[in-house]
Protein backbone atom coordinates (compact mmCIF):
# COMPACT_ATOMS: atom_id res chain seq x y z
CA UNK A 1 0.00 0.00 0.00
CA UNK A 2 1.27 3.47 -0.93
CA UNK A 3 1.53 5.97 1.93
CA UNK A 4 -0.14 9.27 0.91
CA UNK A 5 0.33 10.84 4.33
CA UNK A 6 1.98 14.09 3.19
CA UNK A 7 -0.40 17.04 2.89
CA UNK A 8 0.42 19.76 0.37
CA UNK A 9 -1.82 22.82 0.23
CA UNK A 10 -2.09 23.90 -3.39
CA UNK A 11 -3.64 27.15 -4.56
CA UNK A 12 -2.21 27.25 -8.07
CA UNK A 13 -0.83 25.14 -10.89
CA UNK A 14 -0.32 21.95 -8.86
CA UNK A 15 -4.12 21.61 -8.89
CA UNK A 16 -4.13 21.35 -12.71
CA UNK A 17 -4.54 17.83 -14.07
CA UNK A 18 -1.82 18.28 -16.72
CA UNK A 19 0.66 19.60 -14.16
CA UNK A 20 -0.12 16.76 -11.74
CA UNK A 21 0.41 14.15 -14.46
CA UNK A 22 3.73 15.75 -15.41
CA UNK A 23 5.02 16.25 -11.85
CA UNK A 24 3.51 13.27 -9.98
CA UNK A 25 2.73 10.84 -12.79
CA UNK A 26 -0.88 10.63 -11.62
CA UNK A 27 -3.93 12.75 -10.96
CA UNK A 28 -4.03 13.67 -7.27
CA UNK A 29 -7.29 13.81 -5.35
CA UNK A 30 -7.66 16.58 -2.82
CA UNK A 31 -10.09 18.24 -0.47
CA UNK A 32 -11.01 21.92 -0.39
CA UNK A 33 -9.25 23.84 2.39
CA UNK A 34 -8.24 27.38 3.30
CA UNK A 35 -5.06 29.05 4.50
CA UNK A 36 -5.50 32.00 6.88
CA UNK A 37 -2.87 34.72 7.27
CA UNK A 38 -1.82 34.82 3.62
CA UNK A 39 -2.80 36.62 0.42
CA UNK A 40 -2.16 35.86 -3.24
CA UNK A 41 0.17 37.75 -5.50
CA UNK A 42 1.79 36.73 -8.80
CA UNK A 43 5.31 35.89 -9.82
CA UNK A 44 6.81 35.82 -13.31
CA UNK A 45 8.10 32.38 -14.27
CA UNK A 46 11.19 32.28 -16.49
CA UNK A 47 12.01 28.55 -16.30
CA UNK A 48 11.10 27.18 -19.77
CA UNK A 49 10.32 23.70 -18.42
CA UNK A 50 7.87 25.03 -15.80
CA UNK A 51 6.23 27.26 -18.42
CA UNK A 52 5.91 24.26 -20.77
CA UNK A 53 4.25 22.15 -18.05
CA UNK A 54 1.93 24.84 -16.68
CA UNK A 55 1.28 26.77 -19.89
CA UNK A 56 1.70 30.07 -18.05
CA UNK A 57 4.42 32.69 -17.58
CA UNK A 58 2.85 34.04 -14.39
CA UNK A 59 1.87 31.89 -11.42
CA UNK A 60 0.12 32.74 -8.15
CA UNK A 61 2.34 32.99 -5.10
CA UNK A 62 1.46 33.27 -1.41
CA UNK A 63 2.62 36.17 0.71
CA UNK A 64 2.36 35.90 4.49
CA UNK A 65 0.43 38.78 6.06
CA UNK A 66 -0.16 37.44 9.56
CA UNK A 67 -3.70 38.85 9.33
CA UNK A 68 -6.29 36.12 10.02
CA UNK A 69 -8.76 38.05 7.84
CA UNK A 70 -6.56 37.30 4.81
CA UNK A 71 -7.50 33.82 3.59
CA UNK A 72 -6.52 31.87 0.49
CA UNK A 73 -8.72 29.07 -0.88
CA UNK A 74 -7.04 25.96 -2.19
CA UNK A 75 -6.85 22.19 -2.07
CA UNK A 76 -5.18 19.86 0.42
CA UNK A 77 -3.47 17.26 -1.76
CA UNK A 78 -2.41 13.88 -0.35
CA UNK A 79 1.07 12.96 -1.57
CA UNK A 80 3.89 10.55 -0.90
CA UNK A 81 7.30 11.78 0.27
CA UNK A 82 8.65 11.13 -3.25
CA UNK A 83 5.85 13.21 -4.78
CA UNK A 84 6.65 16.07 -2.39
CA UNK A 85 10.26 15.87 -3.60
CA UNK A 86 8.97 16.02 -7.19
CA UNK A 87 6.93 19.13 -6.31
CA UNK A 88 10.09 20.70 -4.85
CA UNK A 89 11.84 20.14 -8.18
CA UNK A 90 8.92 21.69 -10.10
CA UNK A 91 8.69 24.89 -8.05
CA UNK A 92 11.06 27.71 -9.00
CA UNK A 93 13.39 29.47 -6.54
CA UNK A 94 10.87 32.24 -5.83
CA UNK A 95 8.93 29.71 -3.73
CA UNK A 96 9.97 28.31 -0.36
CA UNK A 97 8.24 25.34 1.22
CA UNK A 98 6.85 25.80 4.75
CA UNK A 99 4.66 23.74 7.07
CA UNK A 100 1.49 25.68 7.95
CA UNK A 101 -1.78 25.15 9.83
CA UNK A 102 -4.81 24.99 7.55
CA UNK A 103 -8.35 26.10 8.39
CA UNK A 104 -9.46 22.44 8.52
CA UNK A 105 -7.06 21.74 11.38
CA UNK A 106 -4.64 19.83 9.16
CA UNK A 107 -1.01 20.88 8.92
CA UNK A 108 0.33 20.90 5.39
CA UNK A 109 3.25 21.99 3.31
CA UNK A 110 2.80 25.06 1.15
CA UNK A 111 4.95 26.95 -1.33
CA UNK A 112 5.05 30.64 -0.46
CA UNK A 113 7.17 33.67 -1.29
CA UNK A 114 10.57 33.60 0.35
CA UNK A 115 10.68 37.37 -0.16
CA UNK A 116 8.29 40.03 -1.37
CA UNK A 117 8.22 39.60 -5.17
CA UNK A 118 6.89 43.12 -5.69
CA UNK A 119 9.95 44.53 -3.92
CA UNK A 120 7.78 46.59 -1.59
Amino acid sequence: MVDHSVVLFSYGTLRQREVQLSVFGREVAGTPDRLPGYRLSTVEITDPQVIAVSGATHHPILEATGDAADVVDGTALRLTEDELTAADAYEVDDYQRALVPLASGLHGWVYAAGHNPSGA
Side-chain angles (χ1 to χ4, degrees):
M1 182 170 169
V2 177
D3 182 9
H4 294 108
S5 62
V6 176
V7 175
L8 175 65
F9 179 77
S10 177
Y11 53 90
T13 62
L14 286 172
R15 294 189 291 178
Q16 297 173 359
R17 180 180 184 276
E18 298 77 21
V19 173
Q20 289 180 355
L21 292 174
S22 176
V23 174
F24 307 125
R26 68 180 181 100
E27 196 168 352
V28 180
T31 54
D33 214 326
R34 304 180 88 202
L35 178 60
Y38 287 80
R39 67 177 177 192
L40 283 179
S41 185
T42 58
V43 63
E44 183 176 4
I45 303 299
T46 58
D47 183 310
Q49 183 175 349
V50 174
I51 294 169
V53 170
S54 71
T57 58
H58 288 78
H59 289 193
I61 191 166
L62 288 174
E63 293 180 345
T65 66
D67 183 347
D70 290 331
V71 179
V72 175
D73 292 322
T75 305
L77 303 175
R78 301 293 181 145
L79 304 178
T80 66
E81 289 287 343
D82 287 344
E83 289 170 335
L84 184 61
T85 299
D88 286 344
Y90 168 75
E91 296 293 355
V92 297
D93 290 342
D94 295 280
Y95 295 90
Q96 291 185 350
R97 182 162 50 96
L99 190 61
V100 296
L102 302 174
S104 65
L106 291 173
H107 281 73
W109 293 104
V110 68
Y111 294 99
H115 63 284
N116 186 341
S118 67

